[in-house]
Amino acid sequence: MNEFTLKVTGMDCPNCAQTVENGVKQLTGIEQCELNFTTEKLRVAGTAEYTAVVEKVRALGYDVAEPSDIATPPASPLSFWQFMWQQTETRFALLGAILILPGLLFTELGGFEHPLIHALSILAMLSAGWPIARSAWRALTVAHEVTINVLMSVAAVGAVLIGAYTEAGLVMVLFAIGESLEGYSAERARYAIRSLMSVVPQQAQRLEQDGTAVTLPVADLRVGDVVLVKPGASIPMDGCVRAGASAVNQAAITGESQLISKEQGDEVFASSLNGEGVLEIEVTRLAENNTISRLIRLVEEAQERRAPSQRFVDQFAKYYTPAVMVLAFLVAVVPPLFFGQPWLDTAVPTNGWLYRGLALLVVACPCALVISTPVSIVSAMANGAKNGVLFKGGVYLEQLAQIKAVAFDKTGTLTLGQPQVVRVQSALCATSTDTAVLERCVACDELVAWTAAVEARSEHPLAAALLQEAATRQVAQPTAGVTAVHALPGRGIAGQVHGRDLLIGSHRYFDEMVGHDTAVCDAARAEAQAGRTPLMVSRDGAYWGTISVADTVRPSSAEAISQLKTAGIQHIVMLTGDEKTVAQRIAAELGVTDVRAELLPEDKMTAVAELQQKFGAVAMVGDGINDAPALATANLGIAIGGAHGTGQAMETADITLMSDDLRQLPFAYRLSRATMRTIGVNVGLSIGIKLLFMGLVVAGVGTMWMAVLADVGTSLLVTLNGLRLLRF
């Protein structure tokens, strides 16, 4: 069994992809074959040889890119005229456009006919139409199917046979240019995804042991190497800052618009843009495994998961084209045979039913319909990726628009998941000293400094909060005089600072060991009821003060929830294992519509199932790991912070918010809704305009060139409408 992937070039619309796919499937030994028009990737599995598949693709009139071309990052996108001029077929189409001008001006508009003008029209048809006719012949003889090119070729030849020379030339010229425009638009959409690669630097400066910097390809870097990143340069690899400090623009990964401060010990991502400082970065991941590489790979794979609307349109088009051939034959034959209508009318060609049948072939071309959905899906996913939202497939992009309720995990999702000091109260200070208050007293600063000095010897999660508070207050810790530090499991930590005994413990432990008045007890209970953890401190056996620690709400949470409600999602539920009092306090602060507390992981899964029964489609937002059962139960699993950690969230969630900014979620929801509206408009335009011109053709009012102009115009209209999502 062989499995390989090819990049097929030369496709102008999804019908081309269908032709290649059907042709390759006819090879002996093909077990599985799927070609995605957007990514141009043909995935093949079976016993057929690689060379046989390549020969089949080329026999169908398309080409296969060399592996070196696939790996090369794309240059700037070509202009339309550059795109037209780089291919022989499109050059001939431009030549045909010049040759058809006399027929258009003198015959179609002026009513003047001349053999020389007819000859130029036929030359225009041959110049623009030979690639179309060749493709039609290959589709019939190699793939054994009726394609759009077959319809156009039959219509053009038929027009010549009945003497409509200018129309025959116009049909081929307009169709050829229209196909080129579709190909150009599709290439712009592909570039939106491939351009993610362009932000990845290809070279890096590795620091050697003697301090010199050596320039080498990024692919040659290994884990543990140290690279030098100068101001304004791109960071070449995922890594950890070993020396230096700077502000980094990591919008290419997380979609965050603001600069992020980085200093020693902080994580950085490949393709981030360094600010004004010089950084020394230790490489933590190889090039093929870094965050931007995983992002590009997952986005490309996502494009190959066709959305339900796209699968429906593809299936519809599969039967649509042969049905049109039958309908056109009936239109051309039935009225003359059974109702005495003219088959040919040399005076007024549009009165002849053969002409009307041929024109029907042209107007019924399904190009606009089949391109209407994929261009919208890929544009939306490209926009999402640029703004830090990774959709794992078009199906999830569509499902997000149908969500009726959102369930949020609390810890690490709505909150930071990291304890922080929220209040400091020294026994020597009579005023409130919440950390939000800018004015601080010396007594409280000293309490924080001494407490942090002892906690610096601890690995407890709360110790990090106290150390961070000391750094924020910029108080000097008496580290030189700290001795005899030892943990009191389940109770606290003790030590000596400059020979004085210091004890940091829970309220319960202080009730047993350290005397304090009832006002202190009441204050500690109030802090606990508010969802905070009071850490009580004594010095030389006497109560010295209380430092309260709590998990704080993300700065973006309240705004994100408000935006979700504005966007149309009214049912927002918070799921947590915390006590009800803590959960209700945070729920009131954020404005969620419902809260369910004291839940185990399996309880969260049950809660999501109940929400589905009550509201319908439900999305679950979590960190992608701890809430796995609930994420799997929900209609959509949404993970936050996908750019951090091991990338597990990127690989497992249906949708990943690359940063920790929850405001990316309402953006993703609005983008999803806009995508579904765009697809609806595109499909409606495609079918509506087709039906209108079909009616005009059957009534004898429409002409062939009007029909193909309508088809090309509709294709461009729906393509441009879909591309608008790139800038949503």
Side-chain angles (χ1 to χ4, degrees):
M1 179 74 71
N2 299 322
E3 292 186 13
F4 47 86
T5 300
L6 308 175
K7 182 180 180 181
V8 178
T9 60
M11 298 183 295
D12 295 321
C13 72
N15 276 97
C16 299
Q18 193 68 44
T19 299
V20 174
E21 190 176 299
N22 292 339
V24 172
K25 284 180 179 178
Q26 294 170 8
L27 287 172
T28 303
I30 295 294
E31 299 290 336
Q32 185 178 1
C33 172
E34 187 174 47
L35 173 58
N36 184 273
F37 169 69
T38 306
T39 61
E40 301 178 297
K41 288 186 178 180
L42 173 65
R43 299 187 184 277
V44 178
T47 57
E49 295 295 330
Y50 176 90
T51 53
V53 175
V54 173
E55 289 174 1
K56 187 72 170 182
V57 171
R58 289 174 174 160
L60 290 166
Y62 304 92
D63 204 359
V64 176
E66 296 296 328
S68 58
D69 296 332
I70 299 173
T72 304
S76 299
L78 298 174
S79 69
F80 173 68
W81 294 112
Q82 289 174 323
F83 180 84
M84 291 287 286
W85 196 251
Q86 72 173 351
Q87 301 180 61
T88 304
E89 291 86 349
T90 50
R91 292 178 192 172
F92 276 104
L94 293 175
L95 175 62
I98 297 173
L99 293 173
I100 200 63
L101 284 177
L104 178 62
L105 295 174
F106 295 107
T107 302
E108 287 296 319
L109 300 179
F112 175 74
E113 296 194 22
H114 190 277
L116 180 59
I117 296 177
H118 295 334
L120 290 175
S121 295
I122 293 175
L123 285 175
M125 182 192 74
L126 295 175
S127 176
W130 74 267
I132 298 169
R134 182 185 61 185
S135 177
W137 177 254
R138 287 172 171 169
L140 288 172
T141 58
V142 179
H144 307 297
E145 67 173 7
V146 178
T147 65
I148 296 168
N149 290 338
V150 173
L151 299 183
M152 291 299 169
S153 300
V154 170
V157 172
V160 170
L161 293 177
I162 64 175
Y165 305 111
T166 303
E167 296 225 12
L170 271 173
V171 165
M172 281 305 192
V173 168
L174 290 174
F175 182 70
I177 293 177
E179 287 284 281
S180 299
L181 285 168
E182 286 183 19
Y184 174 70
S185 299
E187 187 61 27
R188 297 283 295 193
R190 293 187 191 109
Y191 178 79
I193 294 295
R194 294 202 308 265
S195 61
L196 290 171
M197 296 175 60
S198 64
V199 301
V200 182
Q202 301 302 301
Q203 292 187 321
Q205 288 189 305
R206 184 177 66 189
L207 287 177
E208 303 298 317
Q209 291 185 353
D210 60 2
T212 59
V214 178
T215 301
L216 74 168
V218 167
D220 293 343
L221 292 174
R222 296 291 176 262
V223 174
D225 286 347
V226 177
V227 295
L228 179 69
V229 183
K230 296 180 179 179
S234 292
I235 295 174
M237 298 284 279
D238 283 7
C240 181
V241 177
R242 193 182 73 167
S246 185
V248 172
N249 181 347
Q250 53 190 36
I253 299 292
T254 65
E256 296 167 295
S257 58
Q258 72 272 22
L259 297 178
I260 308 299
S261 297
K262 300 290 183 180
E263 55 188 25
Q264 185 174 355
D266 288 340
E267 182 183 21
V268 292
F269 306 116
S271 80
S272 299
L273 188 63
N274 187 24
E276 298 179 352
V278 178
L279 295 177
E280 292 182 14
I281 298 170
E282 182 177 342
V283 176
T284 56
R285 295 192 186 101
L286 297 177
E288 60 269 23
N289 294 324
N290 64 30
T291 306
I292 187 68
S293 297
R294 291 201 309 270
L295 175 61
I296 294 169
R297 184 172 64 251
L298 290 171
V299 169
E300 288 187 337
E301 290 174 359
Q303 293 179 77
E304 294 167 15
R305 299 187 182 99
R306 295 175 183 173
S309 58
Q310 185 176 347
R311 289 197 298 268
F312 170 76
V313 169
D314 290 346
Q315 196 69 15
F316 176 79
K318 179 179 178 181
Y319 299 102
Y320 174 81
T321 306
V324 165
M325 290 283 288
V326 174
L327 178 62
F329 175 78
L330 294 175
V331 167
V333 172
V334 171
L337 283 180
F338 297 98
F339 301 100
Q341 297 293 313
W343 197 56
L344 287 174
D345 189 331
T346 55
V348 184
T350 54
N351 287 340
W353 285 92
L354 175 58
Y355 179 93
R356 299 184 195 188
L358 294 173
L360 191 62
L361 289 179
V362 176
V363 75
C365 171
C367 280
L369 182 62
V370 297
I371 205 171
S372 62
T373 300
V375 72
S376 301
I377 294 291
V378 71
S379 297
M381 290 198 298
N383 188 354
K386 287 191 297 182
N387 286 281
V389 179
L390 175 60
F391 294 96
K392 296 294 290 293
V395 59
Y396 306 120
L397 179 65
E398 288 194 8
Q399 284 181 357
L400 183 57
Q402 301 164 5
I403 291 299
K404 302 301 181 184
V406 178
F408 284 94
D409 170 53
K410 181 185 78 69
T411 306
T413 303
L414 291 173
T415 66
L416 293 172
Q418 300 172 348
Q420 291 186 333
V421 174
V422 293
R423 180 180 173 84
V424 178
Q425 181 68 65
S426 170
L428 304 178
C429 175
T431 60
S432 171
T433 54
D434 274 13
T435 56
V437 179
L438 295 178
E439 296 182 2
R440 304 192 308 265
C441 71
V442 175
C444 292
D445 283 351
E446 185 183 13
L447 174 65
V448 170
W450 281 48
T451 304
V454 173
E455 291 285 6
R457 310 293 179 91
S458 171
E459 297 295 330
H460 195 279
L462 297 181
L466 291 165
L467 291 171
Q468 180 61 44
E469 179 65 14
T472 301
R473 290 173 176 256
Q474 297 181 337
V475 294
Q477 302 172 32
T479 53
V482 179
T483 57
V485 176
H486 59 282
L488 305 171
R491 292 170 292 178
I493 188 171
Q496 288 187 340
V497 179
H498 294 313
R500 305 186 69 174
D501 293 329
L502 200 73
L503 173 65
I504 308 160
S506 65
H507 181 208
R508 180 183 299 177
Y509 186 57
F510 265 59
D511 279 343
E512 298 174 359
M513 303 297 296
V514 180
H516 52 279
D517 58 33
T518 56
V520 172
C521 274
D522 293 340
R525 292 192 188 99
E527 290 291 277
Q529 289 175 357
R532 299 172 172 181
T533 301
L535 301 177
M536 303 182 75
V537 184
S538 69
R539 184 165 62 178
D540 292 334
Y543 171 76
W544 190 17
T546 300
I547 301 176
S548 298
V549 179
D551 184 10
T552 56
V553 171
R554 286 188 186 279
S556 61
S557 294
E559 187 177 351
I561 289 172
S562 176
Q563 289 180 6
L564 282 175
K565 291 179 178 179
T566 302
I569 298 179
Q570 300 301 318
H571 309 293
I572 299 175
V573 183
M574 185 177 76
L575 308 179
T576 178
D578 280 349
E579 295 179 355
K580 289 183 179 180
T581 54
V582 177
Q584 289 171 351
R585 176 183 63 83
I586 293 178
E589 184 178 346
L590 295 176
V592 300
T593 55
D594 189 15
V595 58
R596 305 193 182 188
E598 301 178 359
L599 301 178
L600 296 173
E602 55 268 28
D603 297 328
K604 291 183 181 181
M605 182 176 65
T606 303
V608 169
E610 291 174 356
L611 291 172
Q612 288 173 320
Q613 292 179 351
K614 185 175 181 180
F615 300 115
V618 174
M620 173 69 190
V621 186
D623 61 11
I625 303 170
N626 298 332
D627 302 300
L631 288 166
T633 303
N635 300 82
L636 272 181
I638 303 175
I640 68 166
H644 304 287
T646 62
Q648 219 169 335
M650 287 177 65
E651 305 288 346
T652 57
D654 301 325
I655 300 174
T656 300
L657 311 182
M658 298 300 292
S659 77
D660 295 327
D661 190 341
L662 281 172
R663 288 172 296 186
Q664 289 179 334
L665 180 56
F667 160 75
Y669 179 71
R670 293 194 302 269
L671 176 63
S672 174
R673 294 286 297 271
T675 303
M676 298 312 297
R677 287 195 301 270
T678 301
I679 290 174
V681 169
N682 281 354
V683 172
L685 281 173
S686 302
I687 296 176
I689 293 176
K690 292 294 178 193
L691 292 176
L692 173 63
F693 273 85
M694 281 182 181
L696 293 175
V697 166
V698 173
V701 179
T703 63
M704 278 191 195
W705 68 269
M706 287 171 57
V708 73
L709 191 61
D711 174 69
V712 171
T714 306
S715 297
L716 289 177
L717 189 61
V718 300
T719 300
L720 293 174
N721 191 36
L723 289 174
R724 286 174 56 246
L725 292 167
L726 285 170
R727 298 186 299 273
F728 177 82

